[in-house]
């Protein structure tokens, strides 16, 4: 997961270097930043279900190999810029295949029998933390290397090749946690029946409980029956929750694109609009932004955990509020050409990213049955990465109005999403049981 985040963000920190080196235009570099998504989303949608059918390790191995090939193409792109396009496309394919399988693998490794001591919700937090660590360190390392090393657009990519090799060795020693689809479903059903026999539960009740096992972490209300009142007995009447797909569409899908709208603006849009007075240091400044944005996402993880314990949608509401505040600060920074305010905006946008991704991963882990975990996780990431097209949209719209105005306009859909989630999440039956 860290290698995946690293591969995505190492290019972001070098956008300025591609301006001054090969002389690529702002529109070209922004398009290269976004073409990553064209490979990522199909790979997510195909790789997640494939990991459910064939296992986590084969998909992760293949993704790491594609990611390393993509980095090699980006290195060759220093002299043959046409190779940057397939390099970025393959970067997206590798990251997409890895995210779905990797998130599901972490979820299963964070659960019994592999892990019997982790707190509820640990898997979702770990996935977000590992990915954010790659985002933060990959961009900064690439920027610092490009600033002082020879042949910067080649040597800046070398650390990722080393990290990919280390990740492959680590994955080779990690136990496979998934069986192929039919076997997994049969084993899960058999396990529930065995549990029912040993505890005296009706088989149907045990099956329902087993299907909702991921929700036992910290999202029980989303996939299991809801307790009627505080202090109700264990035999109180319960009502079935909505199907996982319905809950995903209502409470997760609207938030998902904002996961990467926030950092993509901070990484690909802000530095180039505020660094006019930083002659000679633009690449370092971009590297600092690429570290601060996901780094703040890492720091808010404890807050995300506390918010999730209070209410099911509290983390999403806080995350969207942070995105709105970050957009407002970004508009001020661009209007006044203030790198310091832009850096603050990047930190706030990073907090919004961290909270929204923690919310989404926790919900998905609660909603998905074991044989659909990687697939539903992949759908979440695919929706998240739609946000990577935002910088290109801003570049296009800047032909009709100023970038600061576009950033202000983005506040409107963000606020609408917050209002929608708040309304849906506070309806009866959407609250966490107490």
């Amino acid at each position: 997961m860290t290698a995946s985040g690293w591969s995505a963000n190492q290019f972001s920190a070098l956008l300025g270097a591609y301006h001054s080196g090969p002389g690529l235009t702002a529109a070209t570099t922004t398009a290269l930043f976004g073409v990553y998504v064209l490979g990522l989303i199909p790979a997510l949608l195909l790789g997640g279900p494939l990991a459910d059918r064939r296992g986590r390790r084969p998909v992760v191995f293949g993704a790491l190999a594609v990611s390393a090939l993509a980095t090699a193409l980006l290195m060759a792109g220093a002299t043959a810029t046409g190779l940057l396009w397939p390099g970025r496309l393959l970067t997206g394919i590798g990251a997409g295949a890895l995210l779905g399988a990797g998130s599901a693998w972490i979820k299963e490794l964070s659960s019994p029998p592999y892990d019997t001591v982790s707190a509820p919700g640990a898997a979702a937090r770990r996935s977000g933390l590992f990915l954010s660590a790659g985002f933060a360190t990959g961009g900064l390392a690439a920027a610092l290397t490009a600033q002082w090393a020879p042949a910067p657009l080649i040597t800046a990519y070398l650390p990722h090749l080393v990290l990919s090799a280390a990740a492959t060795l680590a994955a080779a020693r990690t136990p496979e946690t998934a069986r192929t689809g039919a076997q997994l479903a049969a084993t899960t059903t058999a396990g529930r029946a065995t549990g029912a026999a040993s505890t005296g539960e009706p088989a149907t009740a045990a099956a329902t409980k087993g299907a909702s096992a991921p929700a036992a972490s910290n999202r029980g209300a989303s996939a299991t029956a809801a307790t009627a009142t505080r202090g109700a007995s264990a035999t109180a009447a319960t009502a079935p929750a909505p199907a996982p797909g319905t809950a995903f569409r209502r409470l997760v899908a609207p938030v998902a694109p904002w996961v990467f709208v926030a950092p993509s603006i901070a990484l690909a849009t802000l530095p180039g609009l505020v660094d006019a007075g930083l002659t000679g240091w633009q690449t370092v400044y971009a590297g600092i932004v690429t570290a601060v944005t996901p780094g703040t996402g890492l720091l808010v993880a404890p807050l995300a955990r506390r918010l999730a314990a209070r209410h099911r949608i509290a983390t999403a509401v806080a995350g969207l509020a942070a995105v709105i505040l970050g957009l407002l600060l970004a508009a001020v920074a661009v209007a006044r050409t203030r790198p310091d305010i832009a850096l603050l905006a990047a930190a706030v946008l990073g907090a919004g990213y961290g909270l929204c991704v923690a919310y989404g991963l926790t919900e998905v882990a609660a909603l998905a049955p074991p044989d659909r975990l990687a697939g539903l996780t992949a759908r979440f990431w695919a929706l998240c990465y739609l946000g990577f097209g935002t910088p290109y949209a801003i570049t296009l719209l800047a032909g009709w109005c100023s970038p600061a105005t576009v950033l202000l306009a983005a506040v409107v859909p963000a606020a609408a999403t917050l209002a929608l989630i708040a309304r849906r999440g506070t309806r009866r039956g959407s609250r966490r049981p107490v």
Side-chain angles (χ1 to χ4, degrees):
M1 293 291 282
T2 302
S4 176
W6 188 297
S7 70
N9 230 18
Q10 59 184 348
F11 181 82
S12 306
L14 301 175
L15 294 179
Y18 281 109
H19 286 308
S20 58
L24 300 181
T25 65
T28 299
T29 55
T30 304
L32 283 166
F33 179 83
V35 76
Y36 164 85
V37 181
L38 297 181
L40 183 140
I41 292 179
L44 271 170
L45 297 177
L46 296 174
L50 182 64
D52 284 332
R53 294 194 301 270
R54 301 298 184 187
R56 315 308 188 199
R57 185 187 287 115
V59 175
V60 168
F61 277 172
L64 287 169
V66 170
S67 183
L69 174 60
T71 293
L73 288 174
L74 292 174
M75 294 169 70
T79 54
T81 55
L83 293 176
L84 294 175
W85 295 96
R88 283 295 287 169
L89 185 68
L90 287 176
T91 299
I93 292 173
L98 197 148
L99 282 175
S103 297
W105 208 359
I106 290 172
K107 168 65 174 67
E108 290 157 347
L109 289 169
S110 299
S111 306
Y114 305 100
D115 185 349
T116 59
V117 298
S118 291
R125 291 191 295 274
R126 286 169 178 169
S127 293
L129 288 173
F130 293 146
L131 184 66
S132 297
F135 280 144
T137 52
L140 182 60
L144 295 178
T145 304
Q147 182 70 25
W148 288 291
L153 296 182
I154 296 176
T155 54
Y157 293 109
L158 291 175
H160 178 252
L161 295 180
V162 176
L163 180 60
S164 295
T168 301
L169 292 175
R173 297 195 299 268
T174 304
E176 175 61 74
T177 58
R179 297 174 177 85
T180 56
Q183 292 174 324
L184 178 60
T187 302
T188 301
T189 303
R192 292 169 194 159
T194 302
S198 64
T199 60
E201 277 188 298
T204 55
T208 302
K209 182 182 296 183
S212 303
S217 58
N218 66 352
R219 292 293 182 207
S222 63
T224 60
T227 303
T229 58
R230 183 186 299 268
S233 66
T235 58
T238 57
T246 301
F248 181 88
R249 288 191 298 271
R250 288 175 53 80
L251 293 174
V252 179
V255 178
W258 295 101
V259 168
F260 285 133
V261 166
S264 67
I265 289 174
L267 302 178
T269 299
L270 286 183
L273 295 175
V274 301
D275 64 1
L278 302 176
T279 305
W281 294 93
Q282 288 95 331
T283 300
V284 172
Y285 177 76
I288 292 172
V289 170
T290 60
V292 166
T293 305
T296 309
L298 286 168
L299 294 177
V300 298
L303 174 62
R305 182 168 59 251
R306 290 194 295 270
L307 289 172
R310 294 179 64 87
H311 193 282
R312 179 178 185 179
I313 65 161
T315 311
V317 169
L320 290 168
V323 171
I324 292 169
L325 177 58
L327 289 171
L328 293 172
L329 289 170
V332 173
V334 170
R336 299 184 179 181
T337 318
R338 291 282 300 272
D340 54 341
I341 298 178
L343 193 60
L344 175 61
V348 177
L349 289 169
Y353 150 76
L355 292 169
C356 288
V357 76
Y359 165 78
L361 288 171
T362 302
E363 279 293 313
V364 168
L367 293 170
D371 58 332
R372 292 181 56 195
L373 178 59
L376 197 63
T377 302
R379 286 177 58 192
F380 168 69
W381 283 120
L383 291 172
C384 289
Y385 273 97
L386 291 176
F388 256 69
T390 306
Y392 191 65
I394 292 174
T395 300
L396 294 178
L397 292 173
W400 285 276
C401 54
S402 69
T405 302
V406 178
L407 291 169
L408 283 175
V411 170
V412 176
T417 304
L418 192 158
L420 178 67
I421 292 299
R423 181 171 63 85
R424 289 178 174 177
T426 54
R427 285 179 177 175
R428 186 175 181 181
S430 294
R431 289 183 178 273
R432 181 186 305 284
V434 292

